[in-house]
């Protein structure tokens, strides 16, 4: 609870109200989000004055990435599975996946800053992982000796949702990236090889991006799911690009699958803005991510 209290006192009331408007605008009544949207509406009507929007939205409506208890959380968006703090404290892959989820939201939010009228959605992306991931993982970061970065994240939210120049907002986002890098360097060890951890992370990010795409382009797809998926794809690409040069011999086929998937996902997520029509068949993305996951079994 102390972390949640800190969140409300760190972000200005004006920023919270702006974020609430942004997320309400992004959300659409998809099949799995009906209850979530209702909670958001309640938050907008009755909770703005108390500055409790973020918990009402992420905690009540979406379930929150930090406590969703498995994939399919956040209103049914399949790529938004939860992160178990207990597992993150012991397993480097789980720990680093939490950092990847935060990074994905910030990459997506930063991209929205360059979209006309996208600042509020960008600020909402910066806010989501605070309540959905960071709050539950802060004690894990602290135990690992990683510098805490709540202040850096809330500063990015405030600047994005305020009148700060875009360059200043992006400078604050770079501070978050630096903090994420510092936290990643403090990942726990459990005997897994670095290669095994890296391939698991790449596979997870491709899986999340594919599932968010599936949700976003469905009959009741949401813009929020699209932006989330775009961020996951960007992290997946970062992981794949760093991993491919080291994949040789028996793992060469995985490098080929990663390269093929990158080409396909780049076409699918050509922009952070959701297109009117899906540029790629959902099944192709899901199949590509599944092939990558299968290839990781050799590590």
């Amino acid at each position: 609870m102390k972390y949640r209290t800190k969140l409300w006192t760190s972000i200005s009331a004006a920023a919270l109200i702006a974020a609430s408007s942004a997320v309400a605008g992004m959300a659409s009544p998809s099949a799995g989000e009906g209850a979530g949207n209702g909670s958001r509406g309640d938050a907008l009507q009755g909770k703005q004055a108390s500055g409790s929007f973020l918990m009402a939205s992420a905690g009540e409506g979406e379930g929150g990435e930090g406590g969703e208890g498995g994939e399919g959380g956040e209103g049914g968006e399949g790529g938004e599975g939860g992160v178990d703090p207990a597992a993150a404290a012991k397993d480097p892959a789980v720990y680093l996946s939490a950092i990847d989820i935060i990074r994905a939201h910030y990459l997506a939010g930063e991209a929205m800053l360059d979209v006309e009228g996208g600042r509020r959605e960008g600020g909402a992306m910066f806010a989501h992982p605070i309540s959905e991931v960071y709050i539950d993982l802060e004690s894990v970061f602290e135990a690992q000796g990683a510098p805490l970065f709540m202040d850096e994240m809330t500063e990015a939210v405030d600047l994005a949702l305020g009148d700060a120049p875009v360059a200043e907002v992006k400078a604050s986002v770079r501070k978050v990236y630096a903090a994420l890098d510092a936290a990643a360097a403090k990942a726990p060890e459990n005997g897994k090889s670095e290669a095994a951890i890296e391939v698991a992370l790449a596979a997870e990010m491709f899986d999340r991006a594919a599932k968010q795409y599936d949700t976003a382009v469905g009959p009741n797809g949401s813009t929020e799911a699209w932006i989330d998926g775009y961020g996951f794809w960007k992290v997946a690409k970062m992981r794949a690009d760093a991993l491919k040069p080291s994949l040789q011999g028996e793992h060469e086929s995985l490098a080929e699958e990663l390269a093929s998937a990158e080409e396909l996902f780049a076409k699918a997520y050509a922009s952070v803005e959701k297109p009117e029509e899906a540029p790629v068949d959902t099944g192709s993305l899901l199949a590509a991510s599944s092939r990558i996951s299968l290839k990781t079994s050799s590590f």
Side-chain angles (χ1 to χ4, degrees):
M1 181 60 70
K2 66 179 180 180
Y3 300 131
R4 288 167 171 78
T5 301
K6 183 177 180 182
L7 175 59
W8 313 144
T9 58
S10 298
I11 303 178
S12 70
L16 288 167
I17 293 171
S20 67
S21 299
V23 178
M26 285 195 294
S28 66
S30 63
E33 291 182 330
N37 287 341
S39 295
R40 286 182 181 134
D42 293 341
L44 291 174
Q45 292 296 320
K47 298 187 178 180
Q48 286 180 345
S50 64
S52 60
F53 161 74
L54 287 178
M55 280 305 297
S57 174
E60 295 171 12
E62 298 178 359
E65 281 173 289
E68 289 162 349
E71 292 184 353
E74 191 163 318
E77 295 174 9
E80 289 277 40
V83 177
D84 180 0
K90 300 176 181 179
D91 189 331
V94 177
Y95 178 97
L96 291 169
S97 72
I99 291 174
D100 278 357
I101 291 170
I102 296 173
R103 192 186 302 274
H105 281 79
Y106 274 75
L107 288 169
E110 184 177 13
M112 286 304 301
L113 296 177
D114 296 322
V115 173
E116 184 177 357
R119 282 186 66 130
R120 287 188 172 185
E121 288 87 347
M125 283 293 112
F126 299 157
H128 283 179
I130 299 176
S131 58
E132 297 171 354
V133 181
Y134 182 87
I135 286 174
D136 290 322
L137 271 292
E138 185 173 81
S139 60
V140 177
F141 294 141
E142 188 172 25
Q144 290 300 124
L148 303 183
F149 51 98
M150 169 78 86
D151 291 343
E152 285 82 352
M153 297 176 77
T154 55
E155 178 185 46
V157 177
D158 263 334
L159 292 175
L161 299 176
D163 296 325
V166 171
E168 187 176 346
V169 181
K170 291 190 175 184
S172 73
V173 171
R174 287 195 295 272
K175 294 180 183 177
V176 175
Y177 295 148
L180 292 173
D181 291 340
K186 298 293 185 178
E189 297 181 5
N190 68 349
K192 287 185 178 179
S193 69
E194 183 177 346
I197 294 169
E198 290 297 323
V199 297
L201 291 169
E204 179 181 352
M205 289 301 110
F206 275 109
D207 180 65
R208 287 176 180 272
K211 289 177 177 176
Q212 287 296 90
Y213 186 92
D214 185 30
T215 297
V217 303
N220 299 298
S222 71
T223 300
E224 182 181 355
W226 179 274
I227 300 173
D228 282 338
Y230 178 90
F232 289 131
W233 147 238
K234 287 300 180 181
V235 176
K237 177 173 172 54
M238 291 172 62
R239 290 289 183 189
D241 287 344
L243 185 60
K244 284 184 299 182
S246 67
L247 297 175
Q248 301 174 356
E250 65 176 310
H251 302 307
E252 201 167 314
S253 60
L254 175 57
E256 294 172 356
E257 288 291 357
L258 289 171
S260 177
E262 282 188 86
E263 183 177 347
L264 182 64
F265 277 75
K267 182 178 179 181
Y269 285 113
S271 171
V272 70
E273 294 184 88
K274 183 184 175 184
E276 292 186 6
E277 296 185 6
V280 172
D281 176 69
T282 296
S284 300
L285 296 183
L286 292 171
S289 67
S290 294
R291 287 194 296 271
I292 291 172
S293 295
L294 288 173
K295 294 287 183 182
T296 64
S297 62
S298 61
F299 284 84

